[in-house]
Amino acid sequence: MAGGEDSMDAHHDSETQPHDEPLVIGGRSFGSRLFVGTGKYSTFRVMRAAHEASGTECVTLAVRRVDISGDAESLLDHIDTERITLLPNTAGCFNADDAVRTCRLAREALGTDFVKLEVLADADTLLPDPIETLAAAKTLVDEGFQVLVYTNDDPVVARRLQDLGVAAVMPLGSPIGSGLGLLNPRNIAAIKAAATVPIVVDAGVGTASDVAVAFELGVDGVLLNTAIALADDPVRMASAMKHAAWAGREAFLAGRMPRRAEAHPSSPTGGLIAAS
């Protein structure tokens, strides 16, 4: 991929993140609200550089697709676990039993109860199966896991998941790997407005503006992978995503001006001298 290897040292900067409260999920505190993945990178070296450029403090990894035995080189060897929290996920699971089993494996192998639950309906759409997702979430919560749940952008399902006691709800922006951005921002806003747990938009981000839009809606975090990994220059894109997250979050905290149906002058009209 053009620029991926050559520019890995070009986009690190000394800027500090704007002041904000940390994001707390499942008892863990994060300064960065950007979560990123570990798949589809051309090399582990590019992946690590992209993680650094994004400023992320939490990365996901697919338990069923990674050698976590320690017997061979793995992407785990290329993640700075002193700084970055691992979020094992159940990618590739299509029923509740497989997803629960995968989380138990992650807890035994990695020593963590912090997991991302993902139960897909089929391999074509990669959309979440709400029935299997709810079943798996209930079991995992009952077993003491801190569960971040990938789900549809459905406010009803989101409410049912948070009522089960999950640590965070992760509605999709659009289908996994599509790069279509936020297709239903009204639904995302509705989910956030009713939320009692953190809301993290997950899947569908294509570019930096999608990240900014998500944060402007008030969500607590954004998780993305493909938009960085498959960019022509993943490290530069990772840096762009970091700054978009800052901009969107700052805009939300600042409070946008009201939308109006008619024009309003920017300059005061009082005191104008009438032309003679």
Side-chain angles (χ1 to χ4, degrees):
M1 295 180 185
E5 294 281 0
D6 296 338
S7 63
M8 286 191 295
D9 298 322
H11 307 302
H12 301 296
D13 54 51
S14 59
E15 293 180 76
T16 58
Q17 183 168 338
H19 176 71
D20 194 3
E21 296 298 321
L23 171 59
V24 179
I25 301 179
R28 293 158 176 82
S29 180
F30 302 101
S32 170
R33 292 171 178 265
L34 197 65
F35 298 72
V36 301
T38 53
K40 301 182 180 179
Y41 287 94
S42 58
T43 68
F44 287 143
R45 186 166 173 251
V46 172
M47 178 194 74
R48 184 175 182 120
H51 289 170
E52 292 175 359
S54 73
T56 188
E57 296 175 9
C58 184
V59 302
T60 64
L61 67 157
V63 176
R64 302 183 73 192
R65 298 171 182 162
V66 175
D67 182 357
I68 57 178
S69 68
D71 296 332
E73 184 184 26
S74 150
L75 66 82
L76 291 172
D77 300 322
H78 300 271
I79 298 173
D80 180 5
T81 54
E82 293 295 317
R83 184 179 66 83
I84 294 176
T85 296
L86 296 178
L87 178 61
N89 69 46
T90 62
C93 292
F94 293 88
N95 60 70
D97 288 343
D98 282 353
V100 169
R101 189 178 305 113
T102 300
C103 288
R104 290 169 179 162
L105 173 61
R107 182 163 59 185
E108 291 300 317
L110 300 173
T112 183
D113 61 1
F114 194 61
V115 295
K116 177 191 167 187
L117 174 62
E118 179 178 313
V119 188
L120 303 180
D122 57 71
D124 295 323
T125 67
L126 299 181
L127 292 173
D129 183 322
I131 296 173
E132 293 295 304
T133 298
L134 285 163
K138 184 178 188 311
T139 298
L140 292 170
V141 170
D142 288 347
E143 293 186 7
F145 284 91
Q146 297 296 330
V147 188
L148 291 74
V149 189
Y150 173 62
T151 184
N152 295 290
D153 55 352
D154 183 336
V156 176
V157 174
R159 184 174 68 246
R160 292 190 182 279
L161 285 167
Q162 72 176 18
D163 289 347
L164 288 176
V166 302
V169 173
M170 308 179 79
L172 58 80
S174 54
I176 292 173
S178 69
L180 293 173
L182 273 65
L183 295 182
N184 294 302
R186 287 175 180 258
N187 280 22
I188 300 295
I191 289 170
K192 175 56 185 174
T196 58
V197 298
I199 302 300
V200 179
V201 167
D202 181 12
V205 166
T207 191
S209 58
D210 299 330
V211 171
V213 168
F215 277 107
E216 286 173 7
L217 292 174
V219 302
D220 300 286
V222 172
L223 191 154
L224 69 157
N225 179 66
T226 307
I228 294 176
L230 295 190
D232 289 342
D233 185 336
V235 181
R236 186 182 292 274
M237 183 61 80
S239 178
M241 296 300 188
K242 173 181 69 177
H243 290 93
W246 291 357
R249 178 68 178 170
E250 285 285 275
F252 168 73
L253 294 175
R256 65 157 291 142
M257 63 168 285
R259 290 180 171 87
R260 295 166 173 155
E262 66 286 331
H264 284 257
S266 298
S267 300
T269 57
L272 289 178
I273 300 173
S276 56

